[in-house]
Amino acid sequence: MGNRPDELRALLDSVAKQDGQPVEVVVVGNGSPVPDVPEGVRTIELPENLGIPGGRNVGTEAFGPSGRDVDIVLFLDDDGLLAQHDTAELCRAAFAADPRLGIISFRIADPDTGETQRRHVPRLRAADPMRSSRVTTFLGGANAVRTRVFAEVGGLPDAFFYAHEETDLAWRALDAGWMIDYRSDMVLYHPTTAPSRHAVYHRMVARNRVWLARRNLPAPLVPVYLGVWLLLTLARRPSRPALRAWFGGFREGWATPCGPRRPMKWRTVWRLTRLGRPPVI
């Protein structure tokens, strides 16, 4: 968004220090000018804010259709920082060792405390962030994707703008036979924050949750999945304005187009269940 030039420069410096072959970098200004960047870093300035998935898709296409000119695309938040110099090499090794590995989710840690928020461990059993495992989704601002995944299942859903776009891609990738890993040894430093800091959080989370179900789940699971999330939302006892925004987004999710519907196979439902997160939770 162009409002964190110092953090962006630190991130780019941490990418430049990666071991092995240099990492090609593209910085996308999502409806804003791009601050000064080091020589060799490509920039794209979009005339309007396309949202998180839209901006990331533009960055991917900078490496050819579906990113085909490269094997792997890393997505890194501009206020993040690669904690170690071997992250790129670890990514290369992981993808080379497992031909069915499609996506890697990095561990996000606070730069001052080293702690990883529970919400940043993309599985239900999140108590131990130091345990790597197969997972069913990934973190949008700290991940690596094999570009063959984009070529096969498409990119992130532009219309989502913010929230749940990663799970939409993850479910499509898993349905196509790809796997997703959470790797605790690949670390992005990022300040501890609350997702509700965004003004549109409650509305977008609810709307996109409905879209996610409508687009991807077998019909019998749609009401189950959304019913569970309705109960979980009420159990968390949000404020009255937050709840009003949530229900507004929930209604919007049913009343507006969600894009093409491609329900996952029942064997994918079983795979998600075996991985510890059946698609009703």
Side-chain angles (χ1 to χ4, degrees):
M1 298 300 294
N3 57 357
R4 294 189 282 236
D6 294 339
E7 292 88 341
L8 174 62
R9 177 56 71 105
L11 170 65
L12 295 176
D13 289 345
S14 74
V15 174
K17 292 175 182 176
Q18 291 298 298
D19 299 334
Q21 296 180 350
V23 178
E24 297 182 59
V25 179
V26 171
V27 176
V28 178
N30 211 351
S32 67
V34 176
D36 290 337
V37 296
E39 185 177 353
V41 173
R42 287 189 285 163
T43 62
I44 300 172
E45 293 186 356
L46 302 176
E48 61 177 313
N49 182 358
L50 300 182
I52 293 172
R56 287 177 180 154
N57 285 337
V58 168
T60 299
E61 294 293 311
F63 297 104
S66 300
R68 68 185 181 191
D69 295 342
V70 295
D71 295 321
I72 305 163
V73 172
L74 277 67
F75 295 105
L76 304 172
D77 273 356
D78 63 353
D79 55 346
L81 181 75
L82 290 175
Q84 298 151 348
H85 294 175
D86 63 351
T87 303
E89 286 287 78
L90 288 172
C91 279
R92 295 183 181 110
F95 284 114
D98 186 351
R100 297 312 301 167
L101 179 61
I103 303 172
I104 297 174
S105 188
F106 298 175
R107 181 168 65 89
I108 294 179
D110 185 273
D112 297 322
T113 66
E115 294 183 2
T116 296
Q117 291 180 272
R118 188 180 182 89
R119 69 184 182 90
H120 283 154
V121 182
R123 58 175 181 247
L124 290 180
R125 299 184 181 92
D128 182 7
M130 301 307 294
R131 179 173 67 86
S132 299
S133 68
R134 294 284 199 199
V135 290
T136 61
T137 188
F138 64 98
L139 306 173
N143 66 79
V145 182
R146 195 190 296 266
T147 53
R148 283 177 54 202
V149 173
F150 294 130
E152 188 169 342
V153 307
L156 295 158
D158 288 355
F160 279 43
F161 197 85
Y162 164 76
H164 302 318
E165 66 273 6
E166 301 92 354
T167 300
D168 187 89
L169 176 60
W171 283 0
R172 285 183 281 127
L174 289 163
D175 198 47
W178 296 101
M179 301 302 295
I180 305 171
D181 278 357
Y182 166 73
R183 288 283 297 264
S184 64
D185 57 338
M186 302 181 190
V187 182
L188 184 83
Y189 282 150
H190 188 282
T192 298
T193 56
S196 55
R197 70 190 185 279
H198 300 292
V200 296
Y201 171 76
H202 296 286
R203 170 178 157 255
M204 291 292 195
V205 162
R207 184 198 69 180
N208 292 358
R209 184 81 71 183
V210 177
W211 281 359
L212 179 68
R214 290 174 60 198
R215 285 164 56 91
N216 295 287
L217 290 181
L221 294 185
V222 173
V224 180
Y225 177 79
L226 295 176
V228 167
W229 279 105
L230 172 60
L231 293 175
L232 286 173
T233 299
L234 295 175
R236 290 167 179 164
R237 303 177 68 181
S239 67
R240 189 180 297 271
L243 195 59
R244 186 160 47 249
W246 193 94
F247 273 109
F250 193 82
R251 287 191 295 271
E252 184 182 351
W254 287 107
T256 53
C258 64
R261 173 168 164 76
R262 299 187 180 94
M264 66 178 65
K265 308 173 190 71
W266 283 104
R267 68 186 181 195
T268 304
V269 173
W270 176 237
R271 174 191 280 187
L272 289 164
T273 302
R274 285 191 293 111
L275 288 171
R277 188 149 201 166
V280 294
I281 302 176

